[in-house]
Amino acid sequence: MPQLTPTVLKTERLLLRWLDEGDTDAHFAVFSDPEVTRYWSGSPWTEREQAVKGIADTLANYADGSGLRFGIVLAASGELIGNATLHHFFEQNRRCEMGYALGSLHWGQGYASEALRALIGYGFRELDLNRIEADVDPQNAGSMRVLEKLGFRKEGYMPERWIVHGEMADTVNYGLLRRYWDAQSLES
Ligand SMILES: CC(C)(COP(=O)(O)OP(=O)(O)OC[C@H]1O[C@@H](n2cnc3c(N)ncnc32)[C@H](O)[C@@H]1OP(=O)(O)O)[C@@H](O)C(=O)NCCC(=O)NCCS
């Protein structure tokens, strides 16, 4: 697992920064939004205490290097609108997984693509990753589109991998190699 140090990533409209306890209410707003958890095996959060635990887990993950969650912040207003995470680091093989979520009020404005471009660039350059993986519900068309815009390739399909709100849900496996990324030079 990598040694993680507090970092701020800047894009044209966003800041990506480490979360802290002061983000609890905004973090709760993201994960209590039923649109956000529509394709997730967990239910939307109903108690602020879930966000308190979420932030505590995030801080513990920074400390032991097991996960790197950035808050996604609108640079103009300072509002925290979502998060983007690298996790399940497998250091010997220089790979990890990626997750992301934005409050639904902020969808459709290119923010996820903009934030993830910065996160992926950081992962390949600073964390020396060679491969980033993502798994997506095949019905989550917006998420698949984001990954494909970033150069991820469809690599596999796993039926009934999750139970999402009582229904069996499949997974599309996506992967992005550093050499694909370097070849497309998408990083701003
Ligand atoms: C997935 C998510 C992060 C996308 O955020 P976003 O900021 O709206 O994404 P962007 O605006 O950067 O890009 C979305 C792209 O998907 C497209 N899109 C959105 N909904 C779509 C749909 N139903 N069908 C096809 N394309 C769709 C958009 O048109 C856009 O593509 P374009 O730039 O070519 O027009 C956001 O919807 C979200 O947080 N969802 C809930 C959490 C989640 O599902 N996370 C991913 C788990 S794998």
Side-chain angles (χ1 to χ4, degrees):
M1 286 177 286
Q3 281 268 354
L4 301 176
T5 48
T7 306
V8 177
L9 307 177
K10 294 184 183 176
T11 71
E12 195 184 333
R13 299 174 296 170
L14 305 170
L15 294 179
L16 276 68
R17 60 158 177 79
W18 283 27
L19 294 174
D20 61 34
E21 288 92 347
D23 297 313
T24 303
D25 290 327
H27 197 51
F28 179 71
V30 173
F31 286 111
S32 58
D33 179 342
E35 291 293 310
V36 170
T37 58
R38 181 163 165 209
Y39 297 110
W40 287 11
S41 54
S43 300
W45 289 351
T46 53
E47 308 294 332
R48 187 177 184 277
E49 197 51 38
Q50 293 172 282
V52 171
K53 181 177 182 316
I55 298 276
D57 290 346
T58 296
L59 300 183
N61 294 339
Y62 296 147
D64 68 14
S66 61
L68 175 56
R69 167 163 282 175
F70 281 94
I72 301 173
V73 173
L74 295 178
S77 64
E79 182 187 358
L80 183 92
I81 61 168
N83 51 79
T85 307
L86 299 177
H87 60 96
H88 284 95
F89 291 105
F90 197 149
E91 201 164 13
Q92 198 264 322
N93 296 301
R94 294 171 47 216
R95 69 171 148 83
C96 73
E97 297 174 32
M98 185 175 80
Y100 40 90
L102 290 184
S104 57
L105 282 177
H106 302 283
W107 293 0
Q109 298 172 68
Y111 288 140
S113 309
E114 185 171 326
L116 294 173
R117 249 193 318 274
L119 178 65
I120 292 164
Y122 178 78
F124 286 142
R125 272 185 289 101
E126 304 301 328
L127 303 181
D128 197 28
L129 294 167
N130 181 58
R131 173 180 168 80
I132 300 175
E133 300 174 353
D135 80 64
V136 186
D137 187 311
Q139 297 183 71
N140 195 348
S143 182
M144 291 194 293
R145 173 78 187 128
V146 168
L147 292 173
E148 288 171 13
K149 281 197 293 182
L150 292 165
F152 279 77
R153 298 188 189 180
K154 257 183 213 171
E155 297 177 330
Y157 194 92
M158 300 167 84
E160 299 186 15
R161 185 157 189 250
W162 303 99
I163 299 176
V164 174
H165 313 306
E167 303 279 331
M168 294 295 174
D170 301 347
T171 278
V172 183
N173 302 96
Y174 278 90
L176 177 63
L177 301 184
R178 183 174 182 157
R179 61 189 164 82
Y180 305 163
W181 184 255
D182 289 344
Q184 38 173 34
S185 301
L186 274 179
E187 208 176 326
S188 50

